[in-house]
Amino acid sequence: MSRAEELWERLVRAALRRERTGDDAYGQPVGGIAGNVPSALAKNRDIDEILRVADEIEDDDPNISRILCEHAYSLSQNLDPNSEGRGVLQFKTGLMSVIKQKLAKREAGTIDRSQDIARLQEFYKSYREKHNVDKLREEEMKLRESGAFSRDLGELERKTVKRKRVFATLKVLGTVLEQLSEEIPDELKRVMDSDSALTEDLVAYNIIPLDASSSTNAIVYFPEVQAAVSALKYFNGLPELPRGYFLQPTRNANMFDFLQCTFGFQKDNVANQHEHIVHLLANEQSRLRIPEGAEPKLDEVAVQEIFLKSLQNYIKWCDYLGIQPVWSSLEAVSKEKKLLYVSLYFLIWGEASNIRFLPECLCYIYHHMAREMDEILRQQIAQPANSCTYDSKDGVSFLDNVIFPLYDIVSAEAANNDNGKAPHSSWRNYDDFNEYFWSLRCFELSWPWRKTSSFFQKPLPRSKRMLISGSSRHQGKTSFVEHRTFFHLYHSFHRLWIFLFMMFQGLTILAFNDGKFNAKTLREILSLGPTFVVMKLFESVLDIFMMYGAYSTTRRLAVSRIFLRFLWFSLASVFITFLYVKALQEESKSNGNSVVFRLYVIVIGIYAGVQFFISFLMRIPACHRLTNQCGRWPLVHFVKWLRQERHYVGRGMYERSSDFIKYMLFWLVILSGKFAFAYFLQIRPLVKPTKAIIIADNINYSWHDFVSKNNHNALTVVSVWAPVVAIYLLDIYVFYTLVSAVYGFLLGARDRLGEIRSLEALHKLFEQFPGAFMDTLHVPLPNRSSHQSSVQVVENSKADAARFAPFWNEIIRNLREEDYVTNFEMELLLMPRNSGDLPLVQWPLFLLASKIFLARDIAVESKDTQDELWDRISRDDYMMYAVQECYYTIKFILTEILDDVGRKWVERIYDDINASITKRSIDGDFKLSKLAVVISRVTALMGILKETETPELERGAVRAVQDLYDVMRHDVLSINLRENYDTWSLLSKARDEGHLFEKLKWPKNTDLKMQVKRLYSLLTIKESASSIPKNLEARRRLQFFTNSLFMKMPRAKPVREMLSFSVFTPYYSEIVLYSMAELLMKNEDGISILFYLQKIYPDEWKNFLARIGRDENTLESELYDNPGDILELRFWASYRGQTLARTVRGMMYYRKALMLQTYLERTTAGDLEAAIGCDEVTNTHGFELSPEARAQADLKFTYVVTCQIYGKQKEEQKPEAADIALLMQRNEALRVAFIDVVETLKEGKVNTEYYSKLVKADINGKDKEIYSVKLPGNPKLGEGKPENQNHAIIFTRGNAVQTIDMNQDNYFEEALKMRNLLEEFHSDHGLRPPTILGVREHVFTGSVSSLASFMSNQETSFVTLGQRVLANPLKVRMHYGHPDVFDRIFHITRGGISKASRVINISEDIYSGMAVAFAA
């Protein structure tokens, strides 16, 4: 074949693979010939798999590869004959070119395609034989049954992946064979059926494999999961499914099949929500107890909890509207029926798309569909619901008949907002549509939808409105209109304005009366009455103005109330002002009558008393609940209506009395300080100057005589008082800041924040960390009482250290992997397992480094007694620990390596030392001046023993022990040897004959080898480790983590009992992973990103080079010849920028932490107590490979990155798409959700369809589609970020969800605290359980510049002080940013975690907090 033809084929292949130059070198996953099938052909998922197999087997048999390509071409031709879909023509052209090139490669003439089926059959057989298919499965099963996988899951995974790849290829070959030929030999057919049965675990699933069994996922063996799956099975009360309903042979029918058959829900929506509810039920059950028995059953309590929480908003909605829920009595509803109700709700929610922003609309839909379902159950005939077949051409479809009409009108209104520039009053937003369902009027929409209703009337385009006159049936705003006006400054904060103005007026009156409170002062202060009613009148006028545009659609009672308030305050302002003026006029008369004044006081007193009495009662929770229960009584309803308009939201905005008192006292302190400052330092000092200015009459003005002449110098007075008034209105925030800072500091001190503020404090308090860790982050264990004997204290301290060590060591290893510490620093920071027989706690070397040499110098130079010497050493705790550890470790090692005679020597020496210590004569019995010689001999011995055994080293070890013996025998001992004559005689004789210690047992036990290396380090490290770690970020992280060990926090539950949660990250088109081109590109100053990172992180760059096995002076250009090093370099740089890769790594620490915690909790508390000292308890080697740990982590944690345009990026060959695929390959638990735009042919026209998809990495290095839920249209109707979150939130799981922006990071040590944090949902924080947990955010870019440092510190102060006070005592903290954790079920049933109306909800984050406050 010519050179041109070869280049052409390579070009076509590259186009089909969507690969870019250098992908292989940079570690990108390179696909096969399949590449990315155009979205228009994506409905046939076989095409991509067929082309993948064609590329895989091309070298084995090009002819079979050609057959598969031709079949894929035929499938694409059948799907889109005219190539009208986007990218279809290019795909077909490229594929046909590859086929032609394959034909051109053949040396023979024409191809006999009649033999293609025979060739395919023969290749199927030969492929099976080549890969030993029959043995492959047997080997895997043997390995699994042997139990070896629990220790070496890597080998099992390797064999499992190999089997999956082989069977995936066989599955494709079999599928093509069945599609090409109906006549397959019986023998081959049986083999194919047998192979097909082994491909069940190749079915794509998210977390729990429900549609196909999986022998490799331990999650299906959890009793709680089995109980949840069993509870959703088809039960006797359901009618029999129609005969034509397709059911996969690999599973049994369940209640979701009935709901899908009845309402026409999408297949993938059903699969998604099926797993969702199984996940919820299993986690709820695990919090109660682990079910037992061969057939585990769900507890009624677990079902009841999920039922009430999921349908709580629906129950409240029915109660608000005064209608009966679909069930007459909740007690009479069976467990199966409750699950059916919950399943129906989540199926509606899962397919509602943008309508999820209308929670009460979903309640309306659910109410009617549940009634339809009950009617079908009563008739016991499984038939399509009328609401989902009404006006449908494609049969039963919930999306087309229920959701699309709503979406159509919402999208029409959104299209009419002129990209947010149109007045808010001219179009309906999400809240307007939702508020329509807050009244019984919504039932006018009927069921199925009455599409002739004005609610469904589309608005005229804004460009055409001015051309059309006359009335329109278009439904306007519901009950509230957003107007753009500066009057909002007063209207929204009118209570504050009125309060400040009246207080200023009162303080000014008091100041002008020289601080005397007499009758005259009282009369003047009562002028506050007219001030109040006039300002309230102004507010009522603004009410009328602000409601313009919604009068026709708002309830008549609401409109009546607005105008009644206006009338009331109009009359009140006239009446009160008249009374007050009249009273002043009568008081000024010499014979004035005070009747009018008394009447005025009585009126004011009655009004103020009634207002105060009602306000006081409403602050008492019992009274508030009573008024809600009696809210339908005419009198109570009228009084509440006068006070405040009744809406569905905002009815429970009250706290318990104690919280209100704290709130009131907090503001009393602030306002007292503010008004005292205002009176004594602002108002009173101006009284005399003001009086002087007013009476001055000889002032000549040069230019404003017409203003200040003959009016008491008014302009001068205004000029003097204006700054005072301005400061008076503003300084309340200054006082709030001061008081909140002080109060926040006191709260932090009470919660023990800031215990560890420096590296020195970390060193000093380290011995308290294991106990603090056990009290906070570890699950509670029995037998850890505080009243213990001295022996028990040591034993329990060692047990605590043994449990603390695996977590601490994993933290340090992660710091090394992140290149914050060097290998040497890691060795110093690691903590021994404390699982041996030494009678003490072994601390990390960085605490004990150089302590032995300091103690030696003290002992050598000291002339003190034994007690005085030990007292000097004990002043430094870690010096004392170092001496004790060396003492016991030397004995332990020598005892283990010496023979019987040698052990006698060791025992004799230690008995003599102990006896001298008891007699307090150590300084006389031993020559302490020779300690340096002893240490040198022990060091030499340990230096030999830490190496791998060789004959030469063994001889050297014998000599070293003998030297140690000689030193001890002749230079150190000063005791009388005759007391143990037999022992010393035996040793001397053996030494003289030269066979003393000649047989050594070389250290081979792992624990013994570690003790040898550790002792050697203790005896050789002479430099102080007080500055370890040196990296500032490593210091900050360790200080923050250890400080949090002393904080007050809820006790941790075992992983199996903890709340499950998801992490949710929205992504659009930001940087995923730096490419080499981006790293090396220089700016106008000639500085590249890589050069800049090397300069601001010099120590981390050296650590990185050491980690990949390079010298620290290696230039980055030397890394380019190694693809692995290039990939590591790209990740190293990306982890130091605001990239998605950094965020993904940080969030995946949650899974790693859960796996470690599960692995260490795999035994019961009793077993753990008994097993302390055993390797299995503290050995965490390979914990990430434990199938149980991985399954438990997956059941508790889900990570979804919603990459909105990932599908578009793949089609356009964007590097971001390949980088996201790489992240999925490196993180198996990562899920990516995106919106896929698919162009299909419908009635000869290209129709654009939108799908919400979830993908994960597969075994072939590509993304595998898990779910694909069709949307009613383009989901982006409002703000992009909340719409992006909304489409993907259906793929999240668990009880909680944490929202994380893609410029945020997480750390392993912080992930360990997650289960404690989640327990805050069950802590006492007031009348209602919390629904949003505030989490501190660390701005990691603070080291980049001084401005970044300032912003980082500002964020810290805002979070640690400001948010803390807002939460307690003010009880007004709402969601402000993205580390917060949401009660997921609460929020998804109330409109989601953000709002999306265009421009109105531009700061979408805060509205979830507002929704919580209003929905209480």
Side-chain angles (χ1 to χ4, degrees):
M1 188 173 59
S2 67
R3 174 69 173 169
E5 290 175 336
E6 291 181 1
L7 292 175
W8 169 246
E9 181 176 6
R10 288 176 58 190
L11 180 62
V12 171
R13 284 180 175 278
L16 289 174
R17 282 198 298 257
R18 302 290 194 254
E19 71 176 6
R20 56 195 177 101
T21 304
D23 281 354
D24 284 335
Y26 296 161
Q28 300 288 5
V30 178
I33 192 173
N36 295 305
V37 177
S39 58
L41 304 177
K43 283 190 174 181
N44 193 329
R45 300 177 184 175
D46 292 338
I47 296 178
D48 190 68
E49 285 297 307
I50 291 172
L51 293 177
R52 180 190 63 79
V53 174
D55 189 74
E56 178 188 329
I57 66 175
E58 181 182 8
D59 295 334
D60 296 339
D61 195 330
N63 218 358
I64 300 300
S65 178
R66 184 263 309 165
I67 295 172
L68 295 179
C69 288
E70 289 178 346
H71 183 64
Y73 184 87
S74 299
L75 292 177
S76 61
Q77 183 68 13
N78 292 336
L79 283 174
D80 191 353
N82 299 323
S83 302
E84 295 176 330
R86 184 172 62 184
V88 174
L89 180 60
Q90 295 89 332
F91 176 78
K92 286 182 180 180
T93 303
L95 184 55
M96 181 55 69
S97 299
V98 170
I99 295 172
K100 289 180 178 179
Q101 296 304 320
K102 289 180 182 293
L103 294 175
K105 282 183 178 181
R106 291 180 52 85
E107 297 178 358
T110 59
I111 295 177
D112 184 5
R113 286 188 170 83
S114 63
Q115 298 299 315
D116 283 353
I117 295 177
R119 293 190 185 99
L120 198 56
Q121 292 175 357
E122 288 300 320
F123 182 79
Y124 188 96
K125 297 176 183 178
S126 63
Y127 187 84
R128 292 186 83 255
E129 294 174 359
K130 176 182 177 181
H131 292 279
N132 296 319
V133 170
D134 295 328
K135 293 183 179 180
L136 199 61
R137 180 74 173 180
E138 293 178 6
E139 290 177 359
E140 181 186 342
M141 293 307 297
K142 287 180 180 179
L143 183 63
R144 188 178 302 283
E145 292 170 0
S146 68
F149 71 92
S150 63
R151 296 185 299 272
D152 188 9
L153 188 67
E155 177 66 16
L156 174 65
E157 282 201 331
R158 187 185 64 78
K159 290 185 176 295
T160 300
V161 169
K162 180 181 178 182
R163 176 187 62 80
K164 284 185 175 183
R165 286 181 173 171
V166 170
F167 278 102
T169 301
L170 289 175
K171 182 180 180 181
V172 171
L173 294 173
T175 301
V176 174
L177 262 175
E178 291 174 347
Q179 291 174 353
L180 291 178
S181 174
E182 297 180 357
E183 298 180 0
I184 300 176
D186 293 339
E187 183 180 354
L188 180 60
K189 181 66 175 175
R190 284 193 297 271
V191 172
M192 290 172 57
D193 292 340
S194 175
D195 293 343
S196 178
L198 299 177
T199 61
E200 293 175 355
D201 57 353
L202 297 178
V203 177
Y205 66 90
N206 184 20
I207 300 172
I208 307 172
L210 296 174
D211 290 338
S213 61
S214 174
S215 58
T216 59
N217 196 334
I219 201 170
V220 296
Y221 302 110
F222 288 172
E224 59 268 33
V225 174
Q226 294 176 342
V229 173
S230 176
L232 296 174
K233 288 182 178 179
Y234 221 82
F235 60 93
N236 294 332
L238 295 177
E240 185 178 351
L241 290 172
R243 294 183 178 179
Y245 183 80
F246 174 75
L247 191 65
Q248 292 182 359
T250 57
R251 66 175 181 85
N252 298 319
N254 55 56
M255 58 180 64
F256 284 89
D257 294 309
F258 164 72
L259 294 172
Q260 183 182 13
C261 175
T262 303
F263 297 106
F265 294 110
Q266 297 177 53
K267 175 186 174 183
D268 280 5
N269 176 42
V270 171
N272 181 36
Q273 296 308 321
H274 186 193
E275 184 194 70
H276 179 205
I277 295 176
V278 167
H279 192 275
L280 283 176
L281 292 171
N283 279 286
E284 191 64 37
Q285 178 62 49
S286 67
R287 287 184 64 82
L288 299 174
R289 67 177 183 88
I290 302 301
E292 300 175 351
E295 296 183 0
K297 300 293 183 183
L298 274 182
D299 290 349
E300 181 74 34
V301 178
V303 176
Q304 179 78 353
E305 183 69 21
I306 296 297
F307 176 82
L308 291 178
K309 193 156 192 177
S310 303
L311 298 179
Q312 184 185 45
N313 192 45
Y314 167 71
I315 296 172
K316 286 186 175 181
W317 179 76
C318 291
D319 179 67
Y320 176 77
L321 295 182
I323 61 175
Q324 180 68 36
V326 290
W327 53 84
S328 55
S329 173
L330 190 58
E331 290 74 15
V333 182
S334 65
K335 181 171 74 172
E336 292 78 10
K337 195 69 173 294
K338 289 177 182 176
L339 291 174
L340 196 62
Y341 282 136
V342 171
S343 302
L344 176 61
Y345 180 86
F346 279 115
L347 285 172
I348 293 171
W349 173 81
E351 209 163 321
S353 186
N354 300 72
I355 309 305
R356 283 191 285 271
F357 287 115
L358 317 180
E360 282 66 65
C361 176
L362 292 185
C363 291
Y364 179 89
I365 296 172
Y366 173 77
H367 181 74
H368 288 284
M369 291 181 66
R371 294 177 65 178
E372 281 187 292
M373 181 185 69
D374 283 345
E375 181 62 23
I376 292 173
L377 292 177
R378 189 184 64 81
Q379 297 176 1
Q380 281 296 300
I381 301 176
Q383 58 184 352
N386 186 40
S387 61
C388 297
T389 55
Y390 176 78
D391 195 25
S392 177
K393 299 178 182 178
D394 301 325
V396 57
S397 173
F398 168 75
L399 181 70
D400 294 340
N401 294 281
V402 178
I403 296 301
F404 182 76
L406 288 168
Y407 171 85
D408 198 29
I409 181 61
V410 172
S411 62
E413 291 281 1
N416 215 35
N417 65 22
D418 193 17
N419 199 28
K421 299 177 182 177
H424 298 315
S425 57
S426 64
W427 59 283
R428 287 181 287 176
N429 57 46
Y430 283 119
D431 289 331
D432 293 314
F433 283 104
N434 191 48
E435 287 173 26
Y436 184 83
F437 296 89
W438 290 358
S439 68
L440 289 172
R441 186 176 57 175
C442 66
F443 284 88
E444 297 175 1
L445 298 178
S446 188
W447 192 260
W449 296 122
R450 184 169 61 86
K451 298 179 183 177
T452 57
S453 169
S454 60
F455 179 85
F456 290 105
Q457 189 72 28
K458 292 184 179 181
L460 292 172
R462 296 187 69 244
S463 59
K464 296 182 180 181
R465 281 186 195 176
M466 59 187 67
L467 303 177
I468 300 177
S469 59
S471 61
S472 171
R473 295 184 63 251
H474 168 243
Q475 179 84 20
K477 305 289 280 188
T478 305
S479 61
F480 180 76
V481 186
E482 299 86 357
H483 290 283
R484 293 187 177 103
T485 171
F486 283 106
F487 284 118
H488 277 299
L489 289 174
Y490 182 85
H491 184 256
S492 299
F493 306 100
H494 66 275
R495 292 184 179 88
L496 182 61
W497 286 108
I498 293 173
F499 176 70
L500 290 177
F501 194 89
M502 292 176 64
M503 285 299 300
F504 186 82
Q505 181 180 342
L507 293 175
T508 304
I509 291 172
L510 188 63
F512 272 91
N513 284 278
D514 298 328
K516 299 176 182 178
F517 195 80
N518 49 30
K520 176 177 176 295
T521 305
L522 178 62
R523 283 195 302 272
E524 293 179 2
I525 287 179
L526 287 175
S527 64
L528 296 175
T531 302
F532 174 78
V533 292
V534 170
M535 295 186 76
K536 292 293 286 186
L537 173 63
F538 182 54
E539 186 245 330
S540 63
V541 172
L542 291 181
D543 282 342
I544 297 175
F545 171 72
M546 297 297 181
M547 277 297 294
Y548 178 76
Y551 289 121
S552 61
T553 54
T554 305
R555 291 182 302 166
R556 293 180 181 178
L557 280 176
V559 177
S560 302
R561 179 180 177 277
I562 291 174
F563 282 93
L564 185 61
R565 278 171 52 85
F566 170 72
L567 182 62
W568 164 258
F569 285 114
S570 297
L571 295 175
S573 59
V574 173
F575 179 69
I576 295 297
T577 305
F578 173 77
L579 277 182
Y580 184 72
V581 172
K582 193 70 175 175
L584 290 181
Q585 290 176 350
E586 292 188 358
E587 287 290 334
S588 63
K589 298 178 182 178
S590 57
N591 57 347
N593 194 341
S594 61
V595 175
V596 178
F597 181 75
R598 291 175 182 175
L599 177 62
Y600 172 79
V601 172
I602 291 173
V603 171
I604 293 296
I606 292 175
Y607 180 83
V610 170
Q611 290 291 331
F612 177 80
F613 179 73
I614 294 176
S615 298
F616 178 76
L617 287 182
M618 290 298 101
R619 294 297 180 270
I620 302 176
C623 296
H624 211 294
R625 287 192 294 267
L626 181 63
T627 56
N628 285 337
Q629 294 173 0
C630 305
R632 300 191 184 280
W633 294 6
L635 179 60
V636 176
H637 181 75
F638 177 74
V639 173
K640 291 181 68 177
W641 176 76
L642 283 178
R643 179 173 174 81
Q644 186 173 351
E645 176 63 20
R646 184 172 181 263
H647 295 289
Y648 177 70
V649 296
R651 292 175 292 141
M653 297 179 65
Y654 59 92
E655 296 290 344
R656 55 190 177 192
S657 302
S658 58
D659 291 329
F660 174 70
I661 292 173
K662 289 194 295 183
Y663 175 89
M664 186 174 64
L665 290 176
F666 180 85
W667 281 109
L668 188 62
V669 172
I670 293 176
L671 295 176
S672 298
K674 174 201 165 34
F675 292 131
F677 177 83
Y679 178 76
F680 291 106
L681 299 177
Q682 289 182 288
I683 298 175
R684 198 167 72 168
L686 288 183
V687 171
K688 291 182 179 179
T690 302
K691 290 180 178 180
I693 292 172
I694 290 175
I695 63 176
D697 56 359
N698 57 349
I699 301 177
N700 296 321
Y701 297 97
S702 60
W703 58 274
H704 52 83
D705 252 11
F706 68 96
V707 176
S708 298
K709 192 174 183 180
N710 300 323
N711 63 358
H712 304 289
N713 304 303
L715 188 58
T716 305
V717 173
V718 169
S719 301
V720 171
W721 281 85
V724 173
V725 173
I727 294 174
Y728 170 83
L729 295 176
L730 296 175
D731 66 358
I732 187 172
Y733 186 74
V734 175
F735 284 94
Y736 168 79
T737 301
L738 294 174
V739 175
S740 64
V742 173
Y743 192 83
F745 166 78
L746 294 176
L747 283 179
R750 186 199 66 179
D751 294 336
R752 301 190 67 180
L753 302 181
E755 293 273 334
I756 311 295
R757 296 185 297 274
S758 65
L759 191 61
E760 181 183 357
L762 186 146
H763 285 234
K764 184 177 181 181
L765 298 176
F766 194 93
E767 61 180 314
Q768 300 180 24
F769 295 166
F773 177 84
M774 295 300 298
D775 292 335
T776 53
L777 299 187
H778 201 278
V779 293
L781 292 177
N783 304 324
R784 288 197 74 250
S785 62
S786 56
H787 304 289
Q788 300 168 341
S789 65
S790 58
V791 176
Q792 289 176 323
V793 168
V794 174
E795 292 177 353
N796 283 320
S797 296
K798 186 174 181 181
D800 290 348
R803 298 187 187 99
F804 171 68
F807 295 95
W808 174 262
N809 291 343
E810 195 60 36
I811 292 171
I812 301 304
R813 291 190 187 99
N814 280 284
L815 288 175
R816 179 62 194 97
E817 290 176 9
E818 298 170 20
D819 299 319
Y820 290 120
V821 298
T822 64
N823 292 327
F824 177 68
E825 288 178 330
M826 179 180 69
E827 181 184 347
L828 294 181
L829 289 166
L830 288 176
M831 186 170 183
R833 286 159 49 190
N834 282 283
S835 59
D837 297 327
L838 296 181
L840 49 77
V841 177
Q842 291 183 288
W843 300 106
L845 288 174
F846 79 103
L847 299 173
L848 311 181
S850 75
K851 300 297 183 182
I852 290 297
F853 296 96
L854 294 177
R856 181 202 63 186
D857 293 341
I858 292 175
V860 169
E861 298 172 1
S862 175
K863 297 182 180 180
D864 300 328
T865 63
Q866 174 184 313
D867 291 340
E868 293 173 342
L869 174 62
W870 185 245
D871 181 64
R872 290 182 61 187
I873 293 176
S874 300
R875 292 173 188 174
D876 185 340
D877 289 338
Y878 295 116
M879 186 187 300
M880 177 181 67
Y881 297 150
V883 171
Q884 290 176 337
E885 182 175 343
C886 285
Y887 179 73
Y888 289 112
T889 304
I890 292 173
K891 179 181 179 181
F892 171 74
I893 294 174
L894 292 177
T895 303
E896 290 292 325
I897 67 173
L898 297 179
D899 54 13
D900 293 338
V901 177
R903 290 196 190 98
K904 288 184 179 180
W905 170 64
V906 175
E907 291 172 359
R908 182 70 268 143
I909 289 292
Y910 272 82
D911 287 344
D912 291 341
I913 294 175
N914 292 333
S916 297
I917 292 175
T918 303
K919 293 185 298 182
R920 304 181 186 278
S921 60
I922 191 76
D923 52 332
D925 295 341
F926 296 87
K927 297 178 182 178
L928 298 182
S929 59
K930 300 296 183 179
L931 273 179
V933 181
V934 175
I935 291 175
S936 65
R937 297 300 185 270
V938 173
T939 303
L941 175 60
M942 295 303 117
I944 296 173
L945 293 178
K946 71 184 182 70
E947 303 296 336
T948 304
E949 181 182 8
T950 64
E952 183 179 354
L953 287 178
E954 188 175 358
R955 290 191 295 270
V958 171
R959 287 194 298 271
V961 177
Q962 291 173 347
D963 288 346
L964 178 61
Y965 169 83
D966 293 339
V967 169
M968 292 297 299
R969 171 71 177 79
H970 300 293
D971 297 337
V972 177
L973 292 178
S974 298
I975 59 176
N976 186 4
L977 300 182
R978 294 183 179 275
E979 295 180 3
N980 298 283
Y981 177 78
D982 294 339
T983 303
W984 286 110
S985 176
L986 176 65
L987 292 171
S988 298
K989 182 179 180 181
R991 180 71 179 95
D992 294 340
E993 294 175 357
H995 57 78
L996 181 62
F997 312 132
E998 63 180 356
K999 293 182 180 180
L1000 291 181
K1001 297 178 183 178
W1002 202 266
K1004 295 181 180 179
N1005 177 272
T1006 303
D1007 188 54
L1008 182 59
K1009 291 169 67 177
M1010 290 178 58
Q1011 295 292 354
V1012 169
K1013 291 181 179 179
R1014 177 175 169 83
L1015 180 59
Y1016 180 78
S1017 298
L1018 270 175
L1019 299 176
T1020 54
I1021 300 177
K1022 298 182 180 180
E1023 296 81 11
S1024 172
S1026 59
S1027 61
I1028 299 296
K1030 296 180 180 179
N1031 184 275
L1032 296 180
E1033 176 64 8
R1035 289 185 182 184
R1036 184 197 66 80
R1037 284 174 51 176
L1038 291 178
Q1039 289 169 19
F1040 187 86
F1041 170 71
T1042 53
N1043 176 72
S1044 63
L1045 295 178
F1046 301 95
M1047 289 174 54
K1048 179 183 177 182
M1049 64 176 73
R1051 291 303 302 267
K1053 293 276 188 180
V1055 174
R1056 200 154 195 169
E1057 299 177 19
M1058 69 175 284
L1059 290 173
S1060 56
F1061 70 103
S1062 295
V1063 175
F1064 201 36
T1065 300
Y1067 166 84
Y1068 188 71
S1069 61
E1070 298 87 347
I1071 296 174
V1072 179
L1073 191 68
Y1074 285 126
S1075 67
M1076 288 305 300
E1078 291 170 325
L1079 291 176
L1080 299 177
M1081 182 184 298
K1082 296 182 179 180
N1083 61 10
E1084 61 273 10
D1085 298 322
I1087 304 298
S1088 66
I1089 293 178
L1090 183 57
F1091 178 82
Y1092 178 69
L1093 292 175
Q1094 290 172 344
K1095 295 307 176 185
I1096 64 173
Y1097 304 116
D1099 54 338
E1100 296 170 29
W1101 172 251
K1102 292 179 181 179
N1103 296 341
F1104 162 71
L1105 292 175
R1107 178 166 58 84
I1108 63 174
R1110 300 276 186 161
D1111 183 77
E1112 66 176 27
N1113 297 319
T1114 303
L1115 300 177
E1116 66 269 13
S1117 58
E1118 299 178 25
L1119 306 178
Y1120 300 159
D1121 58 348
N1122 189 319
D1125 289 348
I1126 290 178
L1127 182 61
E1128 289 298 325
L1129 174 60
R1130 293 178 60 205
F1131 273 104
W1132 180 86
S1134 300
Y1135 290 155
R1136 280 146 187 81
Q1138 295 189 22
T1139 60
L1140 182 61
R1142 179 172 189 167
T1143 302
V1144 169
R1145 181 195 64 174
M1147 297 309 115
M1148 294 311 295
Y1149 279 137
Y1150 282 129
R1151 185 170 186 260
K1152 190 174 185 180
L1154 289 174
M1155 286 192 292
L1156 178 60
Q1157 289 168 330
T1158 302
Y1159 188 79
L1160 294 176
E1161 292 169 7
R1162 64 193 185 277
T1163 55
T1164 63
D1167 294 336
L1168 195 62
E1169 287 291 332
I1172 287 300
C1174 297
D1175 288 348
E1176 293 184 0
V1177 177
T1178 56
N1179 183 14
T1180 59
H1181 176 68
F1183 74 91
E1184 294 177 274
L1185 299 178
S1186 167
E1188 294 84 3
R1190 293 166 64 153
Q1192 194 63 256
D1194 289 338
L1195 190 63
K1196 297 298 181 181
F1197 167 71
T1198 309
Y1199 186 30
V1200 178
V1201 179
T1202 168
C1203 304
Q1204 183 174 346
I1205 58 172
Y1206 175 58
K1208 182 180 179 182
Q1209 288 172 331
K1210 287 198 297 182
E1211 290 188 0
E1212 295 179 355
Q1213 310 168 36
K1214 296 286 187 181
E1216 289 84 357
D1219 293 335
I1220 292 171
L1222 176 60
L1223 291 182
M1224 284 193 285
Q1225 289 295 320
R1226 291 171 67 100
N1227 302 278
E1228 63 175 344
L1230 175 63
R1231 301 292 182 263
V1232 170
F1234 65 97
I1235 297 170
D1236 197 18
V1237 183
V1238 179
E1239 293 180 347
T1240 58
L1241 286 176
K1242 192 172 184 180
E1243 298 178 355
K1245 296 181 179 179
V1246 177
N1247 181 50
T1248 303
E1249 295 179 347
Y1250 297 86
Y1251 290 84
S1252 182
K1253 294 189 175 183
L1254 184 74
V1255 297
K1256 68 176 182 179
D1258 70 356
I1259 58 176
N1260 298 305
K1262 299 191 302 180
D1263 50 43
K1264 174 182 280 189
E1265 184 177 296
I1266 305 173
Y1267 303 123
S1268 178
V1269 180
K1270 184 180 179 182
L1271 306 176
N1274 189 346
K1276 189 181 179 305
L1277 302 181
E1279 295 296 334
K1281 184 177 177 181
E1283 297 283 18
N1284 188 15
Q1285 291 175 323
N1286 175 66
H1287 96 86
I1289 199 170
I1290 59 175
F1291 302 127
T1292 59
R1293 298 289 185 265
N1295 305 93
V1297 59
Q1298 184 179 31
T1299 50
I1300 293 291
D1301 266 348
M1302 68 136 285
N1303 59 352
Q1304 292 179 293
D1305 200 356
N1306 191 30
Y1307 314 113
F1308 176 80
E1309 61 272 16
E1310 299 307 303
L1312 294 172
K1313 311 172 194 173
M1314 192 61 183
R1315 53 182 179 175
N1316 301 76
L1317 174 66
L1318 293 174
E1319 287 304 312
E1320 290 284 3
F1321 281 118
H1322 298 287
S1323 300
D1324 181 18
H1325 292 284
L1327 287 177
R1328 290 165 294 275
T1331 54
I1332 298 180
L1333 302 179
V1335 181
R1336 176 185 182 271
E1337 178 179 8
H1338 171 238
V1339 180
F1340 57 75
T1341 54
S1343 61
V1344 173
S1345 65
S1346 56
L1347 178 60
S1349 176
F1350 171 79
M1351 295 302 296
S1352 176
N1353 293 329
Q1354 180 267 342
E1355 176 71 16
T1356 301
S1357 63
F1358 171 64
V1359 175
T1360 56
L1361 292 177
Q1363 296 292 312
R1364 188 186 304 159
V1365 174
L1366 291 178
N1368 181 28
L1370 297 184
K1371 296 283 185 180
V1372 295
R1373 186 207 183 270
M1374 295 189 284
H1375 179 53
Y1376 82 96
H1378 275 276
D1380 286 0
V1381 180
F1382 294 82
D1383 183 332
R1384 180 173 166 273
I1385 303 300
F1386 179 92
H1387 283 86
I1388 65 177
T1389 56
R1390 287 163 177 81
I1393 57 177
S1394 56
K1395 287 182 177 287
S1397 296
R1398 188 71 172 147
V1399 176
I1400 299 173
N1401 301 138
I1402 190 69
S1403 298
E1404 77 286 339
D1405 299 339
I1406 65 170
Y1407 290 97
S1408 54
M1410 292 178 61
V1412 168
F1414 292 149

